[in-house]
Amino acid sequence: MKVRLTLALFAATLVSLLAASPSVGALVPRFALDGSPGPSGSYPFDLTDLNGTLLFSAEIERGNELYATSDGRKIRLVRDLLSGPDDGDPSDLTRFGNFVYFLGYEKNAGYEMWRTNGRSASLFAEPSPGPDSSNIDFLTVADGFLYFSAETPAAGRELWKTDGQATTMIQDLNPGPDGSYPRNLTPFDGQLYFTADTPTEGSELFRTDGNTISLVYDVWPGASGSEPNDFAVLGSHLYFSAYQPGSSRELWRTDGVTTALWSDINPGAGYGSPGGMLTSGDRLFFSADDGVNGEEPWSTDGLTTSMVADISPGPDDSNPEDMAPFGNGRMIFNAEDPAHGEEPWVADGSSANLLRDIWPGEQDSGSSEFFFRNGTAYFNARDQAHGRELWASNGTGARLVKDILPGTDGSSPRSFTPYRGDVYFSADDGIRGREIWKLVPADRKVTVKGPRKLRFRPSGRADLKLTCPASEATGPCSGQFRLATASKVPFQGKRRSVTLAGGRFRAAPGKSDTVIVRVSNSERRLLKRVAAARNLNVLARVRDGAGNSARVSIPVRAVMPG
């Protein structure tokens, strides 16, 4: 019995170790930028890449302002929008052309639209001049324009655009100060589709080519409005959720010419309530309730529509959420079932599979912030031992990538953003507060560098400088070395390789450790008299913080005094 238990324990331990080990090609987290040294953190947000410059808002000395890095190593202030310690509060960073447009506060203008080239920033658009804000929202790039919603006293909230030069309201769709409240801005077929309110149509589907606005279709004729939402493009159609008496809220689609009910998921007056639309490859995923199985994941390929899986059997809801693409035609998402609670799942068009019960039993891991890169999805999830931490899945199982904040609190990684070939994100390690980290290829090698020449003093002392390369992501480089002749030389009556000195070293990435070596009088005479003896090797055994180790041989020429 004891042997069986031991084998079972060994097997369980092995499975756990394999699940936690990164696969070849997987990314690992490394600390990147400390905006506010110390435990308070700078709380970086809205990370956005502009031609090799990473822009973000952060709280560093001057309140919450706009900052940037151009090399991933140093942070600089781009603009103190609101001078002093008060917050300019930049947000909604949106790339358009060679600028990033964003919303920010300045006391004379209120909260308006700014733009930056990565070096400086200036106020760009103020639809409602003066200290009162225009309440700009929904910045969306489509077909050569940056569209947005803005509010003025005369027209209320309407649709605006800019080409980077001129900024204008497209049309006062609901004439007068009430406004049409454009929302759900979505590029499709060379135009911008959106939801808006008018007195005659209510809340319905509209579109613009940048010059005029037109009604696409009055789903619920009259002034009541169908309130279209959850827009997503699949192939030659725009899909959306809308309400119509008789079929209630169901899945609709339009190709710009014909608009029609596509799937009556909960037939009759029941609400199918499709939501969370996500396109992955040639398939559209969404959540819906057919009135029998509760809210579950569904999909369509543009030909047929069906439930993917009844994750929570019977009428109970699995509440699929945080849906994200996971390769071509698949998605990763968070869902709930009675046995496992809320956990990460993966689905194609015909089935769904639990990736891992991260917090075993009915407790919820609450997986979210899914980001797909090179065949692997990275996300945050929580368990009892680690709190909310960084996890990854290649579609089969899931593994803890790193416990960035050791213990049960969790580092809560979020805001994954591609930059300079890596993936940057924010996390709190409990030492530096919430700062910027990055996902990089796993460091699988280590080395150390030395000088070409080693100059000895008359006393026999030399200063050997061993350097850890700046590219060593998992430093420090540390280990042992010995200094020896490169070949056999005549010494004390024999030809031999002579070891002259040895010791330990430790150096941070990009730094050097200077180790003092001393040779004896007989060794000093050898080096002076025998030219071949002055060809030396530094033989080092080096390791790094990731557990990588290597044996390194560094050729060096001894230089003797006078």
Side-chain angles (χ1 to χ4, degrees):
M1 176 64 73
K2 185 178 294 186
V3 173
R4 291 180 180 177
L5 288 174
T6 302
L7 289 173
L9 179 60
F10 171 77
T13 302
L14 180 60
V15 169
S16 177
L17 288 172
L18 290 174
S21 300
S23 59
V24 174
L27 303 179
V28 294
R30 300 282 180 258
F31 182 73
L33 294 162
D34 194 358
S36 182
S40 59
S42 65
Y43 290 86
F45 186 71
D46 260 354
L47 280 62
T48 305
D49 182 13
L50 175 65
N51 300 328
T53 294
L54 186 67
L55 293 151
F56 52 93
S57 67
E59 299 178 13
I60 305 175
E61 296 181 350
R62 300 170 184 252
N64 187 20
E65 298 294 350
L66 184 66
Y67 289 85
T69 179
S70 297
D71 58 6
R73 298 177 183 176
K74 296 180 180 179
I75 295 175
R76 54 184 170 81
L77 176 69
V78 177
R79 176 72 183 256
D80 188 7
L81 306 183
L82 188 58
S83 298
D86 293 330
D87 297 338
D89 200 20
S91 66
D92 295 84
L93 276 65
T94 304
R95 169 81 182 267
F96 175 51
N98 289 319
F99 294 90
V100 164
Y101 292 73
F102 63 96
L103 307 182
Y105 181 78
E106 195 270 339
K107 63 180 179 180
N108 295 319
Y111 202 65
E112 298 292 355
M113 184 185 292
W114 294 64
R115 76 174 182 182
T116 177
N117 59 7
R119 299 180 298 276
S120 60
S122 58
L123 182 64
F124 178 75
E126 190 180 3
S128 182
D132 292 334
S133 300
S134 304
N135 297 315
I136 294 173
D137 207 352
F138 308 125
L139 276 64
T140 305
V141 177
D143 300 293
F145 294 107
L146 176 63
Y147 292 94
F148 57 96
S149 162
E151 190 172 335
T152 64
R157 179 170 291 281
E158 293 291 354
L159 187 64
W160 288 64
K161 70 169 185 179
T162 182
D163 60 1
Q165 301 293 326
T167 303
T168 57
M169 181 174 68
I170 297 174
Q171 183 178 326
D172 190 2
L173 185 61
N174 185 6
D178 289 340
S180 66
Y181 287 84
R183 54 204 181 273
N184 299 319
L185 278 58
T186 304
F188 171 62
D189 195 27
Q191 300 192 61
L192 184 79
Y193 284 64
F194 59 97
T195 304
D197 302 340
T198 68
T200 53
E201 288 91 8
S203 175
E204 290 293 350
L205 181 63
F206 290 81
R207 68 183 168 199
T208 181
D209 59 2
N211 298 309
T212 60
I213 296 174
S214 60
L215 176 69
V216 177
Y217 190 73
D218 193 2
V219 174
W220 185 359
S224 295
S226 66
E227 187 61 48
N229 57 36
D230 285 295
F231 293 8
V233 176
L234 177 66
S236 59
H237 287 86
L238 174 71
Y239 291 78
F240 59 95
S241 167
Y243 178 85
Q244 187 183 66
S247 61
S248 299
R249 179 162 294 279
E250 295 294 350
L251 184 63
W252 288 66
R253 75 175 188 178
T254 182
D255 61 4
V257 177
T258 303
T259 303
L261 175 68
W262 173 242
S263 296
D264 189 4
I265 293 167
N266 192 342
Y271 283 68
S273 301
M277 309 284 192
L278 169 74
T279 302
S280 178
D282 57 0
R283 187 164 291 279
L284 178 70
F285 292 95
F286 55 94
S287 65
D289 184 347
D290 63 1
V292 177
N293 300 291
E295 185 181 357
E296 296 291 348
W298 286 65
S299 79
T300 181
D301 59 2
L303 299 174
T304 61
T305 302
S306 62
M307 184 174 67
V308 175
D310 188 10
I311 292 174
S312 185
D316 291 337
D317 302 331
S318 71
N319 295 314
E321 58 186 1
D322 289 292
M323 293 183 282
F326 191 36
N328 191 22
R330 295 194 301 167
M331 72 163 176
I332 186 170
F333 60 104
N334 184 73
E336 179 180 8
D337 72 4
H340 307 102
E342 293 183 17
E343 296 293 346
W345 291 68
V346 65
D348 55 20
S350 59
S351 63
N353 295 295
L354 175 69
L355 288 172
R356 180 169 174 172
D357 191 5
I358 291 175
W359 193 329
E362 299 178 2
Q363 296 291 335
D364 303 332
S365 75
S367 52
S368 65
E369 298 273 345
F370 297 105
F371 179 84
F372 185 72
R373 181 71 170 233
N374 298 333
T376 299
Y378 298 87
F379 57 96
N380 71 44
R382 64 176 180 263
D383 65 10
Q384 188 173 15
H386 307 99
R388 185 167 292 278
E389 282 297 348
L390 181 63
W391 289 73
S393 174
N394 62 6
T396 304
R399 60 180 175 83
L400 177 67
V401 178
K402 184 173 182 177
D403 190 7
I404 295 174
L405 174 53
T408 59
D409 288 340
S411 66
S412 298
R414 57 177 181 254
S415 302
F416 297 98
T417 305
Y419 175 62
R420 297 175 69 91
D422 296 323
V423 178
Y424 281 59
F425 64 99
S426 76
D428 184 348
D429 65 359
I431 299 172
R432 289 166 282 230
R434 179 161 295 278
E435 295 291 356
I436 295 179
W437 289 64
K438 61 182 178 180
L439 285 168
V440 299
D443 181 15
R444 300 185 184 277
K445 60 183 180 179
V446 62
T447 190
V448 66
K449 297 180 179 180
R452 293 183 179 180
K453 296 180 179 180
L454 185 61
R455 297 185 181 276
F456 284 86
R457 302 175 187 177
S459 64
R461 169 181 165 169
D463 295 337
L464 176 62
K465 184 179 289 187
L466 297 176
T467 302
C468 184
S471 59
E472 174 55 56
T474 54
C477 306
S478 61
Q480 298 176 331
F481 77 94
R482 65 184 181 92
L483 181 67
T485 58
S487 61
K488 292 181 179 180
V489 294
F491 183 64
Q492 295 179 345
K494 294 182 179 180
R495 292 187 63 82
R496 66 179 74 179
S497 176
V498 181
T499 297
L500 303 172
R504 294 181 175 274
F505 63 92
R506 181 182 178 88
K511 303 294 183 181
S512 300
D513 186 9
T514 300
V515 184
I516 298 174
V517 298
R518 297 182 186 274
V519 296
S520 67
N521 290 335
S522 59
E523 291 166 343
R524 188 165 69 252
R525 287 193 297 270
L526 170 69
L527 294 174
K528 292 188 70 171
R529 294 173 182 175
V530 181
R534 293 195 286 274
N535 293 325
L536 307 177
N537 280 334
V538 176
L539 304 170
R541 183 161 187 171
V542 58
R543 58 185 177 275
D544 63 12
N548 300 305
S549 63
R551 294 180 182 272
V552 181
S553 178
I554 307 169
V556 59
R557 178 71 175 173
V559 179
M560 305 306 293

